Amino acid sequence: LGRAYKEVVRLVDTVGSDAALSREEDQILQFLSCEKNSPDSHPDASACRLKISLVLLDAPLQLPWDISLEMADYLFRLEHVSADCLLTPEEELTLLKRCICDVADKRCSTEAGHTPLGISLCKNRRTALRARAAAGLGRHFSV
């Protein structure tokens, strides 16, 4: 990501795919998560990976990162994410629908790095956002 987080967030919305990636596109995506080449644990980096995940949700590919782990990391450090990189509540909820939000979920794996804390963060945020949506509070309510 080259720590150009604002630019990534600004440009990622111009991308979208419901088709398989080309070999070159797949290599770029793999590079983003390769710890040897690109170890970026900045809170904004998690936000960027989640934004990329959003635009690729319908693409027939396996993301090189675990959305549940990225979301838990994002939520754990939410107060440190730049305003330019924050996900909207709608974006968060869309991703949380695909996250592990229960330790009984068969996808849950301690070997993969899933923790009770991360799972609880995802579950609680999803519950708060659903309640907010049900109440019709929209963007005028902070969770």
Side-chain angles (χ1 to χ4, degrees), residues 88-90 129 132-133 135-143:
T88 66
E90 294 80 13
L129 291 173
R132 174 182 170 172
L137 296 173
R139 295 183 183 266
H140 304 292
F141 178 72
S142 177
V143 251

Side-chain angles (χ1 to χ4, degrees), residues 65-121:
W65 52 78
D66 184 313
I67 293 177
S68 296
L69 294 177
E70 286 296 336
M71 181 58 79
D73 188 52
Y74 171 82
L75 294 173
F76 187 72
R77 300 182 300 154
L78 186 57
E79 62 198 28
H80 301 289
V81 177
S82 301
D84 293 323
C85 298
L86 286 171
L87 278 70
T88 66
E90 294 80 13
E91 291 172 332
E92 285 184 37
L93 194 53
T94 297
L95 289 169
L96 284 164
K97 289 176 184 174
R98 299 193 180 218
C99 288
I100 298 170
C101 294
D102 189 333
V103 292
D105 189 316
K106 65 182 178 183
R107 299 173 296 159
C108 182
S109 165
T110 54
E111 291 82 24
H114 302 121
T115 65
L117 173 62
I119 292 167
S120 295
L121 285 170

